[in-house]
Every structure is written in C-alpha cells, then in structure tokens.
Amino acid sequence: MSRSVRLVPVVAVLLALALTGTACGGGSGRGVPGGAGLGDPYFPKAGNGGYDVAHYDLTLDYTPAGRRLTGTAVVTARATRDLSAFDLDLAGLRVDSVRVRGEDARWERAGRELTVRPRTALTAGDTFRTTVRYSGTPRTLTDPDGSAEGWLPTADGALALGEPVGSAAWFPGNHHPSDKAAYDLTVTVPEGLQAVSNGEPAKQRTRGGRTAYHWHTAEPMASYLATVAIGHFDITRTTGPHGLPVVTAVDPAEAAASAGVLAKIPGIIGWEEDAFGPYPFSSTGAIVDRRDDAGYALETQNRPVFPGAPDTSTLVHELAHQWYGDSVTPGSWRDMWLNEGFATYAQWLYDEDHGGPTAQQTFTRLYEGDHPEIWAFPPAEPPSAAHISGSPVYQRGAMVLQKIRQRTGDGTFRALLRGWATAHRHATASTADFTAYVRRTAPGEDFTEIWKDWLYGDGRPARP
C-alpha cells in the first residue's frame, strides 16, 4: 500500500435469534456460536470464529447510474468446531435471504455482524456452503486514519478497495487477513463498461444490454486484497517472465501517462524474482483508474490499483507486495510492517541495483535527517488502528531490514529475503514468526539489540 503519509454479547444474539430472524425451522442444540470477531489487536470485531473459508463465489450486478448493487455470495467453509451459529462480516446492504447447506437459515443483523443459525448444527470438520442474497447501495467507509475504503463511486463506475476492513462493504465473509480463500467473481454491468478484478479473466458474455465478466483467483487471497474496478478501461494482455500473463486495465484518461511505466512490469517482476524468489501467483498486472478516484495505491492481489499513472518506485513497491503481504500475509494488523517495511525496502534495493543510492545510503539519510515522524512509535507496535499505515511502519520497518543486513552480510540477507517468502508462501505469518526465522537463518548472530531498539523500541536508537 502507498498512502500519504462492534461486538454483540452472545446472550443478546441468542435472544434475538430466538425472537426474530428469518426463515424456517430451529437449529439443533449441539455446538456453540462461532464468535463475532477474532480479537485482532486493532480490529477486534474483524473476522469470525469457528470456521475457515476455502472459496468465495460472488455474483454481482451493478448499475452506476443508480449505484445499486445486487449480490449473491456463496461461501464454502470448513467448521473448526461444533457450531450452533456463526457470523459473517457485512457492512450496510440489505440481506434478502440466507441458506446453509441448501436449507433456509435463521439470521440476525447487529452492526457489521450477520449472525447465521443453520437449521442443523455444524460438526467440527464439516465442509458447508452458505448462500447470502443481498442488495442495496454499498457504502464508502472511512478508515481510522481517515482514508476512504469499501465501495468508492467513480465518474463512470466504482472501485472497491478493502484495506483493512472495507471488503465487508460489498460482500459478506470472514474479513480478517488470517483467513485466505480462492475466489470466483462474476460482475454484470451495463454494456460498454468493463469490470476488472483479481486473478485471470475466465469468460465474458453480453445479453440484453448488459455484460457479465468472470474472474478466477485460484491462489489463496485475504479479503482485503480483493478488488473490482468498474468503468471504461483499456485492457491489455501481454506476457512477462517465463510466459507469466500480464493484464493491465487503464482508464483512457490515464493511458498516455501510464504506457511507459506499465511497460516496465515484466522487467520489475524479473528483478523481484531474482531478489525474492519465484513470483507467487498465476498472473500480474495493474489497474490504473483516474487520479481522483482513490487517494492511494493498493497492493490488490495479482494487479495493484493505482490512482493515476504510478511512478516506477511506487510500481516496484506495490508489485513487491505480491510476495510480502499478498502471498505472505500478516497474521494480524499489528504485523503490518511485514507488508510495508518489506515493500519499502524493495524500493531501496531497486534503487541500489539501478544506479541510485544504496540501501545503506538511504538508511543513513533517514537516520540523520529531520524526520521525527519515523521515530513516533515502534514499527511492530503501532499505538492504534489509525497508525498501522504510519511512517514508522514503512520507513523504520525498512530500516529494521537494513540493520539485519548489516549484521548478517549480503549473502545471508539475500537468502533470508527469498527464504522468508518461500517459507510462508500463500500463508500468514506474524512478527514472532519472522524474528524466529531470522534467528534460524543466521544462528551465530545476536539480533537482540535490533529487536529491542529498532523493532520494538521507542524513539530514535542511539546508534545507527
């Protein structure tokens, strides 16, 4: 990402389910409610307990003129405990019906929580399918740091951005980065508009003045990385290293300004593969919308979103996230520096390898310069949800990596960058996982001072 720098008590939910809800039949007494929220340190209500999602099949129909969305979400998941009820995250929108395993289910809304009670309780290990039909005008949400996310209306369509919890504005799900899944997305829009998403285009059909676009994402994806861009786009399909599909979608107003930098994608991916290991997904590319359609770039999986033509450094940053953030996803939002520190360091390395300042020179400039914002808080412990995209997470996070490089030497450090991306490919990881991995990779080194002063320490460390 590049930015300028709700829990209902269980008793109340069960009482509401007994008195209200929809549909038919009562649930079995076996099992317990899955729980609303996973207890994330910054977004405790994000995500839900009791199940893991394997696949989302989302069918959307959107008309920009009326800003009306109708959707069907088929969520395939596995119960991790015996469940009498479970929650899905959904912000706004009207729920029209809920079915579990083909049967009508009771449900109740409380803020962002959609609590579902299946007709028959779920047993731990069961794979089950939940179908939610919903409609309405999707919301644009405001992050704790003031940024807009969720469903953003644009001049000719809409743009969906989800970091950290905005995806709940346009589909129900388990909206926490620790639960990743495959996706199929079908979006129907008025003929003449395009709908672009993650993964690869599967099929396209026009009927009755409306066109349906189907996109398939096979590799696991955190919901905050899901996107859909609706509008007028010039869509280009080329290839990158070893035949990797490169799909770009550019608003015609940005086409001329974007052409040169987007032509660098194959070369940047090749350089990043040398630095970080094999590219982790089955396609790459970019979505370039108009400059006033979003206030920041975002590392949406397979093809990052940019507000206007990006510069090379920003493109390097967002593509590096495909390894660090998209493939290796943070276990909680406290671990955000594992996304942004690594992607920022990728910019430093790219400069170093392409005739610019070395990473050490960039490190020294930041340390010696007048940049009090870098030292405002430790990168591994942002003080609140409003700070997870703050400067220490980016710049000081990258400085932590340079300190590790100083300690290990270039050879071990380069192996560490590649090994970390490989060890947690398509999975989630925490800061504790990373520090343990560093110690295993360089067992003869003492990293205590780096963790204490640079990763978790307050203020500017005394020694650079």
Side-chain angles (χ1 to χ4, degrees):
M1 184 180 193
S2 290
R3 286 186 175 172
S4 46
V5 172
R6 318 163 233 298
L7 182 61
V8 180
V10 170
V11 172
V13 170
L14 293 177
L15 178 61
L17 287 168
L19 298 175
T20 62
T22 68
C24 322
S28 160
R30 184 164 50 85
V32 296
L38 291 176
D40 186 274
Y42 302 121
F43 299 92
K45 297 180 183 178
N48 305 283
Y51 65 93
D52 289 321
V53 179
H55 183 260
Y56 290 96
D57 190 346
L58 307 176
T59 303
L60 309 179
D61 189 294
Y62 186 69
T63 301
R67 295 185 178 178
R68 178 174 176 79
L69 177 73
T70 60
T72 299
V74 180
V75 184
T76 302
R78 181 182 60 84
T80 58
R81 68 184 76 161
D82 292 349
L83 291 174
S84 61
F86 61 91
D87 281 30
L88 297 167
D89 301 316
L90 182 64
L93 297 171
R94 183 185 70 199
V95 175
D96 299 314
S97 67
V98 181
R99 294 172 68 85
V100 180
R101 297 191 293 199
E103 298 181 315
D104 290 338
R106 291 181 179 270
W107 55 269
E108 175 70 11
R109 296 292 298 275
R112 294 169 60 101
E113 298 297 325
L114 169 60
T115 303
V116 179
R117 179 180 289 276
R119 183 184 292 268
T120 304
L122 303 168
T123 302
D126 282 354
T127 296
F128 64 99
R129 183 173 295 171
T130 303
T131 301
V132 182
R133 299 185 185 278
Y134 57 101
S135 58
T137 301
R139 297 177 180 177
T140 299
L141 308 178
T142 301
D143 284 350
D145 69 1
S147 301
E149 61 168 330
W151 193 267
L152 285 62
T154 63
D156 57 355
L159 176 63
L161 298 177
E163 188 177 278
V165 292
S167 297
W170 57 283
F171 69 94
N174 202 23
H175 293 291
H176 188 267
S178 62
D179 192 2
K180 302 168 73 170
Y183 282 72
D184 280 278
L185 177 66
T186 301
V187 187
T188 300
V189 295
E191 185 176 1
L193 296 180
Q194 289 80 42
V196 185
S197 187
N198 313 90
E200 290 73 56
K203 58 186 176 182
Q204 176 181 328
R205 183 184 68 188
T206 299
R207 179 182 298 171
R210 300 183 71 78
T211 303
Y213 296 86
H214 180 199
W215 294 81
H216 174 67
T217 303
E219 296 90 356
M221 178 168 70
S223 64
Y224 82 90
L225 300 170
T227 190
V228 59
I230 297 169
H232 295 101
F233 293 100
D234 295 333
I235 299 177
T236 302
R237 297 173 177 84
T238 57
T239 57
H242 44 78
L244 180 71
V246 179
V247 181
T248 59
V250 182
D251 187 289
E254 300 293 337
S258 299
V261 67
L262 295 184
K264 298 180 180 180
I265 290 176
I268 291 172
I269 291 293
W271 175 83
E272 290 183 335
E273 284 196 317
D274 287 342
F276 312 137
Y279 183 74
F281 301 113
S282 51
S283 70
T284 189
I287 299 171
V288 181
D289 223 324
R290 300 187 187 193
R291 292 191 175 276
D292 56 355
D293 287 343
Y296 51 89
L298 187 65
E299 62 271 20
T300 45
Q301 194 159 302
N302 301 96
R303 53 193 51 83
V305 170
F306 300 95
D311 58 28
T312 299
S313 187
T314 302
L315 185 60
V316 168
H317 180 107
E318 302 304 338
L319 290 176
H321 272 309
Q322 304 305 305
W323 284 263
Y324 307 114
D326 295 13
S327 177
V328 184
T329 301
S332 80
W333 289 111
R334 176 176 287 156
D335 304 307
M336 183 73 153
W337 83 276
L338 292 173
N339 290 16
E340 302 302 348
F342 274 76
T344 300
Y345 195 78
Q347 295 172 272
W348 297 9
L349 277 183
Y350 188 86
D351 287 346
E352 180 176 304
D353 289 352
H354 292 81
T358 66
Q360 181 59 44
Q361 288 172 331
T362 302
F363 173 98
T364 301
R365 175 179 57 80
L366 290 173
Y367 182 84
E368 295 180 349
D370 183 18
H371 304 291
E373 68 280 3
I374 295 176
W375 317 110
F377 57 84
E381 289 186 339
S384 74
H387 296 86
I388 63 171
S389 292
S391 182
V393 173
Y394 288 69
Q395 279 75 32
R396 189 168 167 183
M399 296 175 88
V400 169
L401 297 178
Q402 181 61 19
K403 289 297 295 183
I404 295 171
R405 183 182 180 182
Q406 291 174 1
R407 182 64 53 87
T408 64
D410 282 0
T412 299
F413 179 74
R414 295 277 185 164
L416 188 151
L417 288 180
R418 294 173 63 93
W420 173 247
T422 299
H424 296 278
R425 182 181 175 93
H426 296 155
T428 59
S430 67
T431 298
D433 293 327
F434 176 72
T435 56
Y437 180 82
V438 172
R439 288 193 295 267
R440 291 194 303 271
T441 304
E445 301 292 345
D446 182 3
F447 297 96
T448 304
E449 180 183 340
I450 296 175
W451 308 150
K452 176 178 176 292
D453 293 345
W454 290 87
L455 191 56
Y456 288 104
D458 291 321
R460 181 163 60 178
R463 295 183 298 277

